[in-house]
Amino acid sequence: MGQQERLSRAEAKFLAAAAACAFLLRVALIFRYRFDSDEPQHMHVAWAWARGLMQYRDVFDNHMPLFHLMSAPLFRVTGDDVNALYLARLWVLPFFLASLVLVFVIGDRLFGRRIAAWATALAAAFPPFFLGMLEYRTDDLWVMLWLACIAVLLTDMEPQSKALLAGAILGFAFGVSMKSVLFALAIAVASIGTILLTRHRFASPPLRDVAGSLTTVFMTASILPIAIAMFFALNGAWQAFAYCVIWHNAGVPFDGWWRVVWAIPLTPLTLGIARRVAAAEGIATVVRQRLFLFLLAASYVIVLSAFWPLLSFEDYLPFYPLIVVLATRLLLGAAGSTTRIPAIAAASLVVVIIATAATGHLWHDEAHNEEALIRQVLQITRPNDPVMDLKGEVLFRRRPYWLVLESITHRKLRHRMLRDDIAAALVRSGTAVLASTDFPARTRFFVRRHYLPWGRLWVVGQSLPAVAVRGVAVPFRVDIASTYIVVNEHGVVAASIDGVPVGNGIDLGRGVHRLLVSRPVSRPLVVWSGVIRSARFPARLRDTETYLRALREHRRLIAGNYGDETELTP
């Protein structure tokens, strides 16, 4: 090993200190960083498996099932405990650590131990990679498998064995996410591109052999996805599986045609850099492997940025560790042998650690919001009560509506490829509790007519005009069949509905009912009986009453926008 490849003692101490800071920062942010909406969506699916439900058939999800199946035992052990939020983030920590080990292996293979150590430290603290891999999401396992596949492809194994092992790992990646088609495409482009760009300089294997190896990789990679599909077909869930994993994702409208323009400057730029890498000094094997890694990163990001129908920040997670390895080579490649810490690399590492702490809002406990939402749901609902949320964020309750309202569903609703029938599902299931009102327009209007804010939630109910004369019956309509009570700002009101005493709850079906109170009551509420279980019950009532004036004014505004209210009642 050359002197340039060795870490000096000062560098080793500095990197150890940086690693300790990054690890402590990660542990702290597990309990403080805000929960992305994807996290409880994945947790809800794993929870469903743990409760004997089947993904796709019983619980919608547009990802492959391997990640959720692997983490289902965690939710079986924890039960309906809000601390599962944090345990799930701890559960994916080994994937992040394994990814860093693989970054080191890749860097060591291509550039030596010193660059590998610095690249690993920079990747560990790089803000989008650090924070993306902090969250509980399929991408944690997906990225680790991607890096493992690359590490295998860079070894000196016999070609057929290498192709079989890489294909098996790629198959597991497909078992986690069908977005792995991007990996397959990047591997094919990088393999062929490497041969074409170096064939005039080094002896290259025939393209027929390369095609044969790629065929082996992709055929091996298809085994696990086919087995997964057969499992769901044999269990009567083929149609649900095919829709969720394939048609729901493939049918999303491509609204980003302007992004195709990115391929125009990126492609010649990539080719120019690739030619320089191919012409660099070095052993043939090492030059090819460096070129292969660059083409992997470049082809992945070009296809993703220019042609992928729906982008998210998490889609770039497989790109970050590769570009960090290549960038570290530029930072340290010209430094030569040294016994001191390279200033640029050290400054970069300090900056990314600070940037991660700032981006993650270390000084604010933003995780509390999701925790508080789930605690309130667990407090006022029973295990069998349906709760309507957007993507499963209440975690431990069944949803009355099959589809999750994520970006693909919203886009399809906007393009009228799906029908907004959420209100009908709420009525059909008798859903009394909502965790959000961020629904499509028709549902949002229905919700504002039939639900009232209650802490962080919305519960079924309505406000009635003040009853100033004793014995006067007040008619009102119910569209969500459930158990109701009558309250005002002071607590439960003694009243009868349709001649039956209300007490602590009366079952009301859909239709018009008549409220009769024993004494005058200012602004009574007919509301779902589960609110009695709320913490600070009287205070919740006062908060609700304060809100009602703005709510009624808002109803008048939206009635003008959407027309007759009765048209939106299922």
Side-chain angles (χ1 to χ4, degrees):
M1 180 183 291
Q3 189 177 7
Q4 184 176 339
E5 294 180 342
R6 291 199 299 266
L7 275 174
S8 68
R9 183 174 297 179
E11 286 178 296
K13 290 181 178 179
F14 179 81
L15 290 177
C21 289
F23 183 78
L24 292 175
L25 178 61
R26 186 175 186 85
V27 172
L29 287 177
I30 282 174
F31 299 95
R32 301 179 69 82
Y33 185 54
R34 59 104 181 103
F35 280 91
D36 184 85
S37 63
D38 286 349
E39 293 184 80
Q41 177 185 352
H42 296 306
M43 293 181 197
H44 183 66
V45 176
W47 170 84
W49 277 114
R51 295 299 178 273
L53 303 174
M54 182 172 287
Q55 193 171 349
Y56 315 121
R57 185 190 66 192
D58 302 318
V59 180
F60 178 90
D61 188 63
N62 59 329
H63 303 82
M64 289 288 278
L66 185 59
F67 177 80
H68 308 100
L69 282 167
M70 289 176 62
S71 53
L74 171 68
F75 290 90
R76 187 170 184 83
V77 170
T78 60
D80 294 355
D81 188 339
V82 71
N83 290 312
L85 288 169
Y86 307 109
L87 291 174
R89 282 184 167 180
L90 288 169
W91 185 83
V92 298
L93 178 58
F95 299 142
F96 177 67
L97 297 177
S99 296
L100 295 179
V101 171
L102 290 165
V103 168
F104 181 85
V105 170
I106 293 169
D108 187 28
R109 175 70 180 173
L110 299 184
F111 302 113
R113 189 68 51 88
R114 182 171 180 240
I115 290 176
W118 279 97
T120 303
L122 286 166
F126 188 56
F129 188 68
F130 180 104
L131 296 174
M133 296 286 284
L134 171 84
E135 298 169 352
Y136 173 88
R137 54 172 64 252
T138 57
D139 306 279
D140 301 316
L141 177 58
W142 187 53
V143 170
M144 186 199 76
L145 291 168
W146 162 243
L147 294 173
C149 185
I150 295 172
V152 168
L153 291 171
L154 294 177
T155 63
D156 293 328
M157 293 173 61
E158 187 271 326
Q160 192 65 16
S161 300
K162 181 191 300 187
L164 287 170
L165 182 55
I169 296 173
L170 184 60
F172 276 94
F174 271 103
V176 174
S177 174
M178 289 302 291
K179 289 187 297 186
S180 300
V181 67
L182 288 167
F183 295 167
L185 184 59
I187 289 170
V189 170
S191 299
I192 296 172
T194 299
I195 297 300
L196 293 176
L197 290 172
T198 59
R199 61 180 176 175
H200 298 300
R201 184 179 176 193
F202 306 117
S204 301
L207 282 177
R208 179 182 300 176
D209 293 347
V210 176
S213 295
L214 289 174
T215 301
T216 301
V217 169
F218 299 147
M219 288 186 66
T220 307
S222 68
I223 295 174
L224 182 62
I226 290 173
I228 290 173
M230 290 179 63
F231 168 81
F232 286 102
L234 292 173
N235 283 275
W238 165 252
Q239 290 185 341
F241 168 79
Y243 174 79
C244 291
V245 172
I246 301 173
W247 306 122
H248 184 76
N249 296 319
V252 59
F254 185 54
D255 290 344
W257 290 107
W258 58 271
R259 289 194 280 110
V260 176
V261 178
W262 278 107
I264 297 174
L266 288 177
T267 301
L269 177 63
T270 297
L271 288 174
I273 298 174
R275 288 192 179 97
R276 293 192 62 179
V277 175
E281 295 292 332
I283 302 171
T285 302
V286 175
V287 171
R288 281 205 190 99
Q289 289 176 339
R290 291 175 178 177
L291 177 60
F292 177 75
L293 186 73
F294 171 76
L295 290 175
L296 270 181
S299 56
Y300 178 88
V301 80
I302 289 174
V303 174
L304 178 67
S305 301
F307 303 107
W308 202 247
L310 195 63
L311 283 178
S312 66
F313 290 115
E314 294 75 33
D315 294 334
Y316 289 94
L317 284 173
F319 171 73
Y320 297 136
L322 306 187
I323 199 64
V324 167
V325 170
L326 296 170
T328 305
R329 171 67 174 85
L330 296 178
L331 285 175
L332 297 178
S337 61
T338 181
T339 58
R340 294 184 299 180
I341 300 172
I344 296 178
S348 300
L349 184 52
V350 171
V351 167
V352 295
I353 291 175
I354 295 173
T356 298
T359 306
H361 300 161
L362 176 62
W363 296 272
H364 301 284
D365 182 6
E366 296 178 342
H368 173 75
N369 294 326
E370 179 70 18
E371 179 185 340
L373 173 70
I374 295 176
R375 286 190 185 281
Q376 189 178 355
V377 168
L378 294 177
Q379 184 182 78
I380 72 172
T381 63
R382 301 305 188 197
N384 292 328
D385 291 336
V387 179
M388 181 62 194
D389 54 18
L390 299 179
K391 300 170 65 175
E393 55 267 29
V394 302
L395 197 56
F396 303 120
R397 295 292 181 264
R398 295 288 301 273
R399 303 175 68 249
Y401 187 67
W402 186 57
L403 290 171
V404 298
L405 298 175
E406 39 75 69
S407 53
I408 295 177
T409 307
H410 278 301
R411 184 170 290 190
K412 287 187 170 183
L413 286 166
R414 190 166 60 249
H415 285 265
R416 300 186 182 278
M417 298 173 67
L418 292 173
R419 183 173 178 268
D420 177 11
D421 56 356
I422 301 172
L426 297 178
V427 172
R428 185 170 55 250
S429 60
T431 298
V433 180
L434 310 178
S436 174
T437 57
D438 188 20
F439 300 117
R442 288 175 60 86
T443 299
R444 190 164 60 247
F445 181 77
F446 177 82
V447 164
R448 286 169 177 166
R449 282 193 65 226
H450 296 284
Y451 291 82
L452 298 172
W454 201 270
R456 296 173 182 269
L457 305 172
W458 283 260
V459 297
V460 66
Q462 56 186 280
S463 61
L464 301 180
V467 182
V469 180
R470 177 182 174 182
V472 175
V474 179
F476 64 96
R477 179 176 177 82
V478 168
D479 279 302
I480 306 289
S482 190
T483 305
Y484 291 85
I485 58 174
V486 181
V487 299
N488 68 357
E489 60 268 31
H490 302 296
V492 177
V493 173
S496 64
I497 296 178
D498 300 335
V500 179
V502 175
N504 287 328
I506 182 173
D507 293 332
L508 298 180
R510 296 184 65 192
V512 177
H513 302 273
R514 294 182 177 275
L515 170 70
L516 190 67
V517 295
S518 59
R519 58 182 176 80
V521 177
S522 63
R523 297 184 307 189
L525 299 178
V526 178
V527 67
W528 179 60
S529 62
V531 299
I532 294 177
R533 297 189 289 266
S534 296
R536 302 171 53 247
F537 173 62
R540 297 286 187 205
L541 291 172
R542 289 191 289 273
D543 293 343
T544 301
E545 284 295 322
T546 302
Y547 182 80
L548 287 178
R549 289 190 295 275
L551 182 65
R552 285 193 290 269
E553 179 62 26
H554 188 61
R555 285 177 183 164
R556 286 193 290 271
L557 291 175
I558 60 177
N561 291 334
Y562 296 108
D564 186 3
E565 298 179 5
T566 59
E567 294 179 359
L568 298 180
T569 303

PDB file of all heavy atoms in Angstrom, residues 201-202 280-287 290:
ATOM      1  N   ARG A 201      -8.340   0.736 -25.598  1.00  0.00           N
ATOM      2  CA  ARG A 201      -7.166   0.891 -24.746  1.00  0.00           C
ATOM      3  C   ARG A 201      -6.770  -0.415 -24.075  1.00  0.00           C
ATOM      4  O   ARG A 201      -5.594  -0.709 -23.940  1.00  0.00           O
ATOM      5  CB  ARG A 201      -7.449   1.956 -23.685  1.00  0.00           C
ATOM      6  CG  ARG A 201      -6.258   2.256 -22.808  1.00  0.00           C
ATOM      7  CD  ARG A 201      -6.583   3.322 -21.790  1.00  0.00           C
ATOM      8  NE  ARG A 201      -5.460   3.536 -20.897  1.00  0.00           N
ATOM      9  CZ  ARG A 201      -5.520   4.217 -19.766  1.00  0.00           C
ATOM     10  NH1 ARG A 201      -6.655   4.784 -19.415  1.00  0.00           N
ATOM     11  NH2 ARG A 201      -4.462   4.360 -19.010  1.00  0.00           N
ATOM     12  N   PHE A 202      -7.759  -1.172 -23.637  1.00  0.00           N
ATOM     13  CA  PHE A 202      -7.490  -2.427 -22.951  1.00  0.00           C
ATOM     14  C   PHE A 202      -8.193  -3.563 -23.681  1.00  0.00           C
ATOM     15  O   PHE A 202      -9.179  -3.359 -24.392  1.00  0.00           O
ATOM     16  CB  PHE A 202      -8.005  -2.383 -21.499  1.00  0.00           C
ATOM     17  CG  PHE A 202      -7.489  -1.226 -20.703  1.00  0.00           C
ATOM     18  CD1 PHE A 202      -8.359  -0.269 -20.208  1.00  0.00           C
ATOM     19  CD2 PHE A 202      -6.140  -1.083 -20.447  1.00  0.00           C
ATOM     20  CE1 PHE A 202      -7.893   0.795 -19.462  1.00  0.00           C
ATOM     21  CE2 PHE A 202      -5.660  -0.022 -19.704  1.00  0.00           C
ATOM     22  CZ  PHE A 202      -6.539   0.930 -19.213  1.00  0.00           C
ATOM     23  N   ALA A 280      -7.652   7.789 -18.026  1.00  0.00           N
ATOM     24  CA  ALA A 280      -6.779   8.058 -16.890  1.00  0.00           C
ATOM     25  C   ALA A 280      -5.720   6.971 -16.735  1.00  0.00           C
ATOM     26  O   ALA A 280      -5.882   5.838 -17.195  1.00  0.00           O
ATOM     27  CB  ALA A 280      -7.611   8.174 -15.613  1.00  0.00           C
ATOM     28  N   GLU A 281      -4.611   7.329 -16.092  1.00  0.00           N
ATOM     29  CA  GLU A 281      -3.545   6.370 -15.824  1.00  0.00           C
ATOM     30  C   GLU A 281      -4.017   5.343 -14.810  1.00  0.00           C
ATOM     31  O   GLU A 281      -4.784   5.653 -13.894  1.00  0.00           O
ATOM     32  CB  GLU A 281      -2.316   7.099 -15.275  1.00  0.00           C
ATOM     33  CG  GLU A 281      -1.675   8.057 -16.257  1.00  0.00           C
ATOM     34  CD  GLU A 281      -1.023   7.330 -17.425  1.00  0.00           C
ATOM     35  OE1 GLU A 281      -0.602   6.162 -17.232  1.00  0.00           O
ATOM     36  OE2 GLU A 281      -0.944   7.914 -18.516  1.00  0.00           O
ATOM     37  N   GLY A 282      -3.557   4.118 -14.956  1.00  0.00           N
ATOM     38  CA  GLY A 282      -3.895   3.105 -13.973  1.00  0.00           C
ATOM     39  C   GLY A 282      -3.990   1.728 -14.566  1.00  0.00           C
ATOM     40  O   GLY A 282      -3.929   1.533 -15.790  1.00  0.00           O
ATOM     41  N   ILE A 283      -4.128   0.755 -13.675  1.00  0.00           N
ATOM     42  CA  ILE A 283      -4.310  -0.630 -14.085  1.00  0.00           C
ATOM     43  C   ILE A 283      -5.659  -0.759 -14.775  1.00  0.00           C
ATOM     44  O   ILE A 283      -6.644  -0.123 -14.392  1.00  0.00           O
ATOM     45  CB  ILE A 283      -4.219  -1.555 -12.863  1.00  0.00           C
ATOM     46  CG1 ILE A 283      -2.871  -1.372 -12.154  1.00  0.00           C
ATOM     47  CG2 ILE A 283      -4.434  -3.005 -13.234  1.00  0.00           C
ATOM     48  CD1 ILE A 283      -2.783  -2.072 -10.825  1.00  0.00           C
ATOM     49  N   ALA A 284      -5.729  -1.606 -15.769  1.00  0.00           N
ATOM     50  CA  ALA A 284      -6.945  -1.749 -16.575  1.00  0.00           C
ATOM     51  C   ALA A 284      -8.162  -2.046 -15.709  1.00  0.00           C
ATOM     52  O   ALA A 284      -9.227  -1.424 -15.871  1.00  0.00           O
ATOM     53  CB  ALA A 284      -6.749  -2.843 -17.616  1.00  0.00           C
ATOM     54  N   THR A 285      -8.039  -2.975 -14.767  1.00  0.00           N
ATOM     55  CA  THR A 285      -9.177  -3.360 -13.929  1.00  0.00           C
ATOM     56  C   THR A 285      -9.681  -2.180 -13.113  1.00  0.00           C
ATOM     57  O   THR A 285     -10.892  -1.930 -13.029  1.00  0.00           O
ATOM     58  CB  THR A 285      -8.790  -4.513 -12.991  1.00  0.00           C
ATOM     59  OG1 THR A 285      -8.331  -5.617 -13.761  1.00  0.00           O
ATOM     60  CG2 THR A 285      -9.972  -4.934 -12.144  1.00  0.00           C
ATOM     61  N   VAL A 286      -8.748  -1.423 -12.521  1.00  0.00           N
ATOM     62  CA  VAL A 286      -9.133  -0.300 -11.669  1.00  0.00           C
ATOM     63  C   VAL A 286      -9.771   0.805 -12.501  1.00  0.00           C
ATOM     64  O   VAL A 286     -10.779   1.406 -12.104  1.00  0.00           O
ATOM     65  CB  VAL A 286      -7.915   0.236 -10.894  1.00  0.00           C
ATOM     66  CG1 VAL A 286      -8.293   1.484 -10.104  1.00  0.00           C
ATOM     67  CG2 VAL A 286      -7.368  -0.842  -9.969  1.00  0.00           C
ATOM     68  N   VAL A 287      -9.216   1.103 -13.664  1.00  0.00           N
ATOM     69  CA  VAL A 287      -9.788   2.139 -14.531  1.00  0.00           C
ATOM     70  C   VAL A 287     -11.207   1.774 -14.926  1.00  0.00           C
ATOM     71  O   VAL A 287     -12.125   2.604 -14.884  1.00  0.00           O
ATOM     72  CB  VAL A 287      -8.905   2.350 -15.781  1.00  0.00           C
ATOM     73  CG1 VAL A 287      -9.606   3.258 -16.791  1.00  0.00           C
ATOM     74  CG2 VAL A 287      -7.564   2.936 -15.384  1.00  0.00           C
ATOM     75  N   ARG A 290     -13.577   2.174 -11.885  1.00  0.00           N
ATOM     76  CA  ARG A 290     -13.887   3.576 -11.605  1.00  0.00           C
ATOM     77  C   ARG A 290     -14.860   4.135 -12.634  1.00  0.00           C
ATOM     78  O   ARG A 290     -15.786   4.880 -12.291  1.00  0.00           O
ATOM     79  CB  ARG A 290     -12.590   4.394 -11.588  1.00  0.00           C
ATOM     80  CG  ARG A 290     -11.685   4.079 -10.411  1.00  0.00           C
ATOM     81  CD  ARG A 290     -10.372   4.821 -10.505  1.00  0.00           C
ATOM     82  NE  ARG A 290      -9.516   4.557  -9.345  1.00  0.00           N
ATOM     83  CZ  ARG A 290      -8.283   5.035  -9.196  1.00  0.00           C
ATOM     84  NH1 ARG A 290      -7.745   5.808 -10.163  1.00  0.00           N
ATOM     85  NH2 ARG A 290      -7.584   4.743  -8.112  1.00  0.00           N
TER      86      ARG A 290
END
